[in-house]
Amino acid sequence: MSRPFSSGVYVSRGVALLLAALTAVLLLVLVALASLYGSCVHVQPSEQGNSRVKNTSLWPPGGQEWALPTPAQEPTVGTSQDLGPPSGPWDHLRLPPWLVPLHYDLELWPWLQPDKLSPPNLTFTGRVNIIVHCTVATSRLLLHSFLLNYKQVEVWGPLAPDTRNATVGRMPVENVWFAPDMQFMVLDLGQSLEPGSRYELSFHFSGQVLQVGLEGLFLNLYHDEDELRALVATQMEPTFARHVFPCFDEPALKATFNITVIHHPGYAALSNMPQLGQSERIDVNGSRWTVTTFHPTPRMPTYLVALVVCDLDHISRTERGKEIRVWARKDDIANGYLDFAANITGPIFSFLEDLFNISYRLPKTDIVALPIFASGAMENWGLLIFDESSLLLEPEDELTEKRAMILSIIAHEVGHQWFGNLVTMSWWNNIWLNEGFASYFELELTNYFYPKVPMNMIFFFTVLHGILGEDHALESRAVSTAVENFTETSEINRLFDLYTYKKGACMAWMLASFLSPHLFINALKSYLETFSYSNAEQDDLWRHIQMAIGEQNAIHLPATVKSIMDSWTHRGGFPIITVNVSTGVVKQEPFYLDKVENQTLLSHNSTWIVPIFWMKNGIPQPLVWLDKSNMMFPGMKLSDSDSDWVILNFNVTGYYRVNYDELGWKKLSRQLEKDPKAIPVINRLQLVSDAFALTKNNYIEIETALDLTKYIAEEDEILVWFEVLLNLINREVIYDVNNYALYPLLKKYLLKRFNSIWNTYSAIIRENVASLQDNYLSLFSLERIFETACWLGLEDCLQLSRELFRKWTAHPETAIPPQIENAVLCSAIALGSDKDWNFLFNLYINTTEEEDESRRRRLVHAMSCSKDPWILNRFMEYAITAVPSNFSETNIIVVVATSEVGRYIAKDFLMDNWVAVTERYGTDWLDALVPVLGRTVSTDQQITELQHFFNTVLEERQRVVVQAKLQAMKTKNLQNKKRIARVVEWLRKNT
C-alpha cells in the first residue's frame, strides 16, 4: 500500500466499487448490531450541560418520570447470537478488572410514610456518585445493577489528583444497556478512559421496596402498641446490593461510603456509621422529609452496606467507651425481652478484642430485631440485623436452651466483625473463611459463658453431629470451590449451606487441635492484622499459619499447612478411618451412604492427610498422621488381654468417623462394661454415634453397635443417653414397619437399664429444673429422657405427666417446665380422656395471634398423640372443614399421620376424603405426605393399593413421582424390616 498523499487518496473505479460494496455491508452489520443490542436504555444527559453542580433541593421530582421497576421493563439481552449482543465480558460472572471503586456517595430515599404503610408499590429513589480508578483504557464500563430504573447516567473525569471537587469535563455516554443474566449494567462511552486516572460515575435511579422476599431493600409490616406499623431494612449479602444501587458488587472491590438517608420525620434512620447530621428537604408536594447523613465508613464491600428506617425503640449499653444500642418493638423493649441481648453483646465484643488483640474498629454498634428477617441474622458492619426470634428472651424461655441460642447467634455475628468485615474473602468461593470461623468462635464464646459445658460437647452436638449426617463422598461439595466453577449468580446464594457453616467450623476445629490453641490464635492474629480492611484467599491463611509454625519448635507437621488443609477443603466428603488392632494397620477410604461391596472402586485417587489423636488403655497418645491410604502404627496393635484397648479420634478433634475390626469393637464393648469412665464422655458419645452410623450405612453389623449399649445402666451422662436413645427409639425402628415383636423386647431391655438416669432427672424436674440452666445441653436432652420413660411405661413418669397436666389445666399460670412440655402433653393426651383432648382443642382454636403459631404447632402435635381413632378422625375432618383461614396448620393431617395410631387412620381418611383435602390445601403438600404414608408400605399388596389410589386422583406427572417415591420407601422399609429382625434376635439373646 502506498503512503497517502497529503491532499487525498486516488482510487480506481474498480476499487471504488469494491469500497462501496464494503460500505453497504458495513451499514448492514451496524443495523444488525443495533438490533442485537435490543432495547437499550436511553438515559437523558444532565440538563446542566457540563456543569457538575446539581440542584437537589427538590430532588427527586416525584410524579410520572419514575417508572416502577419490573423484570419486564428492564432491558433484556438475548443469550444467543441472533437475540443478544456479541460475546463479551457481560457473559461472565465476574466483573472485568477495568475499574476499581474507591468511594461511594450514596443517597437513598425510601418513600415510607406512617399514614401510608402498605401502598401497592412502595418505591425508593436514589442517587450515587462512585469514584473509580481506571486500570485499562476502555470506552465500555461494566458494573452491577438489577431491577433498577435510571433517570440519569453520567461519567465525569478525569478527576484532578488533588481534589475530587475540581471542575472536570463530562465523558459522553452514548448508550446504556443491561445484561440481566449476569446482572450487569453496561455504559458505552464516546471516548476511552485513561489508565491511571480517576473518574466519577453518577446515577439517578429508582427501585421497588420488596414486600414479598427479604433481599435488597424490603418492607416489614408488624403490630406494636396495638397499631399497625412498618419499617424498611436492607439485606445485601451476597449479591443484593445491586438491587438497591448500581455498584461494583464483589467482595474484593472494597470502598468507603458516605451514606445519606432521606426519610419521614417520624422515623429514625440507622446505617453502618454514627449519624453525622440532619437537615430538611421538601418534596414537590410540599411534604417535609428528614435528611440524615452518616460518617464515612471504613473500606468495606458492598454486601455490608446497611440501612434501617423505623420507629422502633431501643435500649443502650456502653462497652469500653463505645455505645451499643438494641432496637426492637416498643412493647418488647418495655417488657425487657431484649435485656439479655443488650447485656451480653458488649462482653462478646470484649472477649474477641482481647483474644485477637485487635480492637473493634467502628465507633458504635446498632443491633436491630426485625419482626421478619428470613436470613436470620446479618453482620453488617456497625448495624447488625436479626430476626427478633433470635434475640427476644421472654420469661417462659428463661429455663430453656433459648438463652444459649441467643448467645451463640449474637456471638456468630459479632465474630464476623473480624472474620468477614475486617478481613473479607476475595470471592464467594471462600465464604467459609467468613462463616466457618464465625461458627468456630461462636463455640469459643458459648464455652466461655457456659464454662460447665465442655467445648468439645458443644462442638459435637451443635456442629459435628449435623454435618457428619449429611456429608459423604458422592454428592457433597467441597468447602472451597474453584472460581471458574461458578457460572451463575444463583450459585453464589447456594454457598450459604451446611458445608460452609458447619464443615467450615470443623476445619477450624481440626486446625486448632493439631496446631494447639495458642499457635492457632497467634496465626489468626497475624492473618487479621495483615489483611485488615482488605481481602484474603485461604492460601493467605495457610501462609500465616505456616509462618507461625516456623517461629517455634514444638509443633511439627508431616507436610505444609497448605498441603494438609487443601486435602480437606478442595474435596467433598470425609474419610472413614479403620484400624485393625491385630496388625496395627490403619487405612482410610471415603465415607459413602449405603456402602455396597464394590464401593471402593469409586474411591478418589487422592487421600486426606489425617491427624489422629488416640488413646490406649486410658492414656492419651502422641498425635500421628495418616497421609497414605494405609499405614502401620505398631502401638495400635493389641494383645489378647481385655485390658488392652485403643480408641482413635481422641477428644473428637478430627473430621472423620472411626471403624475398628471385630476384635477392636469387642474390646471397646468390654471396656465399657468393665469401666466406662476410663473412656472420656466425648468418646463414649463418639463410639455410639460412629457405630450406629456405620451400621446404617453397611460398614458394620447392627449387633456391633448394640453391643456398645450393654453398659448403659452405668452411664450417668445424659448426653450419652440422648445419643443412645436417638438411635434405639425412633420412627424408623418403632413405627414404620409392622414388626411388633420389637416393642416388648426393647422396652424390657431398656427398663432394666433406665432407672438410674430417670431417678436422677425426675428428681430435678420435681425439685429444681433451673439447676440445669448452666448446662443447656442437659436441658436440650431432658425431653428425650422424659418421653422415653413414659413410652417405656414407667409409672413414675406417667404419674408425673398426669400431675403436671392437671396442675396446668386447673391453674394455667402454673406452667409445665418448657423442656418437657411437648412430652407431657403428648403423654397426657395418649392416656387421658376426650375431655383432656377437648381442653387442648379449645386452646388451639382460641389461639389466633400470629405470634403464637409455634404454640399452635405444639398443640397439634399433642392432640395427634391420642390413641382414639375417632378423635383423630374428627381432628382431620376439622382440618378440611373448619381451620380458620389465618391458620397455617396445613400439617394437621401430616402430623396425625406420623403418630403411632394415626398413620393408619390418616391413610384411610385421605382415601375417603381426597377431593375435600385437595380443595382445601391443593396437592402441593403431597411431597410431605407421601413419605409419611409410605412408612406403612412393606408388601407388594400395600404398595399396589396406594398406587391404585393415587392413579385415580393424580395427574400423570404427579403419579410418576409418587409411584417412584412409594417404591423407594417400600425398598427402604423392607431393608429396615430385615434390620429390625436382627435387632429382635439380638434383644432375645441379651434381655
Side-chain angles (χ1 to χ4, degrees), residues 722-752:
F722 176 88
E723 188 67 22
V724 169
L725 297 176
L726 192 67
N727 287 285
L728 284 184
I729 305 177
N730 55 63
R731 282 192 168 89
E732 282 192 356
V733 173
I734 300 300
Y735 295 163
D736 298 349
V737 179
N738 303 333
N739 190 340
Y740 295 106
L742 180 65
Y743 275 80
L745 291 169
L746 186 55
K747 287 184 176 182
K748 187 176 181 180
Y749 178 78
L750 286 174
L751 276 171
K752 288 178 62 177

Side-chain angles (χ1 to χ4, degrees), residues 640-679:
D640 293 334
S641 170
D642 283 350
S643 60
D644 208 15
W645 53 273
V646 66
I647 190 165
L648 273 60
N649 205 6
F650 172 63
N651 207 26
V652 191
T653 58
Y655 185 66
Y656 49 85
R657 289 198 185 277
V658 181
N659 192 10
Y660 302 86
D661 63 352
E662 185 177 354
L663 179 60
W665 282 115
K666 283 182 179 179
K667 284 178 172 288
L668 289 168
S669 295
R670 291 170 189 158
Q671 179 60 36
L672 286 171
E673 293 182 72
K674 177 183 175 183
D675 180 15
K677 296 298 179 69
I679 299 176

Side-chain angles (χ1 to χ4, degrees), residues 666 669 673 702-711 986 990:
K666 283 182 179 179
S669 295
E673 293 182 72
I702 181 63
E703 294 83 357
T704 300
L706 292 170
D707 283 342
L708 291 177
T709 69
K710 289 180 181 179
Y711 89 99
W986 185 91
N990 291 279

Side-chain angles (χ1 to χ4, degrees), residues 700-895:
I700 61 175
E701 305 296 342
I702 181 63
E703 294 83 357
T704 300
L706 292 170
D707 283 342
L708 291 177
T709 69
K710 289 180 181 179
Y711 89 99
I712 200 68
E714 306 303 318
E715 182 59 72
D716 58 5
E717 175 54 65
I718 189 173
L719 296 174
V720 180
W721 265 103
F722 176 88
E723 188 67 22
V724 169
L725 297 176
L726 192 67
N727 287 285
L728 284 184
I729 305 177
N730 55 63
R731 282 192 168 89
E732 282 192 356
V733 173
I734 300 300
Y735 295 163
D736 298 349
V737 179
N738 303 333
N739 190 340
Y740 295 106
L742 180 65
Y743 275 80
L745 291 169
L746 186 55
K747 287 184 176 182
K748 187 176 181 180
Y749 178 78
L750 286 174
L751 276 171
K752 288 178 62 177
R753 294 159 173 81
F754 198 74
N755 278 327
S756 178
I757 195 74
W758 168 252
N759 290 338
T760 298
Y761 283 94
S762 63
I764 291 174
I765 292 170
R766 285 186 165 95
E767 296 168 11
N768 185 17
V769 176
S771 65
L772 298 177
Q773 184 60 58
D774 290 337
N775 190 339
Y776 72 95
L777 288 178
S778 294
L779 287 174
F780 160 78
S781 306
L782 194 60
E783 183 177 36
R784 176 73 64 170
I785 295 293
F786 192 93
E787 65 184 6
T788 298
C790 289
W791 178 78
L792 289 172
L794 278 175
E795 182 55 37
D796 187 45
C797 182
L798 302 177
Q799 179 60 35
L800 182 54
S801 289
R802 286 190 288 263
E803 177 185 324
L804 292 170
F805 186 77
R806 295 284 176 254
K807 284 182 179 179
W808 175 62
T809 55
H811 305 284
E813 71 279 3
T814 308
I816 299 170
Q819 305 84 2
I820 58 172
E821 181 182 8
N822 290 337
V824 167
L825 293 181
C826 184
S827 175
I829 293 300
L831 300 171
S833 63
D834 56 339
K835 180 181 177 182
D836 296 325
W837 194 93
N838 288 333
F839 178 84
L840 291 192
F841 182 69
N842 287 328
L843 276 179
Y844 169 75
I845 61 177
N846 289 308
T847 305
T848 58
E849 290 295 324
E850 180 184 348
E851 300 93 305
D852 291 329
E853 184 178 335
S854 61
R855 186 184 189 190
R856 290 201 302 273
R857 286 197 296 268
R858 293 197 300 271
L859 292 172
V860 167
H861 175 266
M863 289 185 284
S864 73
C865 294
S866 173
K867 299 292 172 60
D868 293 322
W870 69 272
I871 286 181
L872 295 176
N873 198 75
R874 185 183 70 177
F875 194 25
M876 289 186 289
E877 286 179 353
Y878 170 81
I880 62 172
T881 59
V883 172
S885 59
N886 65 318
F887 278 26
S888 60
E889 279 2 309
T890 58
N891 64 344
I892 286 177
I893 298 173
V894 173
V895 174

Side-chain angles (χ1 to χ4, degrees), residues 83-156:
L83 294 176
S87 179
W90 45 83
D91 296 327
H92 306 287
L93 188 59
R94 301 291 301 275
L95 281 166
W98 305 338
L99 300 178
V100 178
L102 303 175
H103 178 79
Y104 293 74
D105 282 318
L106 173 64
E107 179 179 279
L108 290 171
W109 190 335
W111 291 77
L112 178 67
Q113 302 176 72
D115 55 343
K116 299 176 183 177
L117 292 184
S118 187
N121 292 299
L122 179 62
T123 61
F124 66 92
T125 51
R127 61 177 185 164
V128 64
N129 296 329
I130 312 173
I131 305 297
V132 298
H133 172 77
C134 178
T135 62
V136 176
T138 178
S139 61
R140 175 166 282 159
L141 315 185
L142 271 72
L143 66 163
H144 288 106
S145 174
F146 194 63
L147 300 181
L148 294 173
N149 293 320
Y150 290 85
K151 179 190 175 187
Q152 182 175 298
V153 176
E154 296 176 333
V155 178
W156 297 84

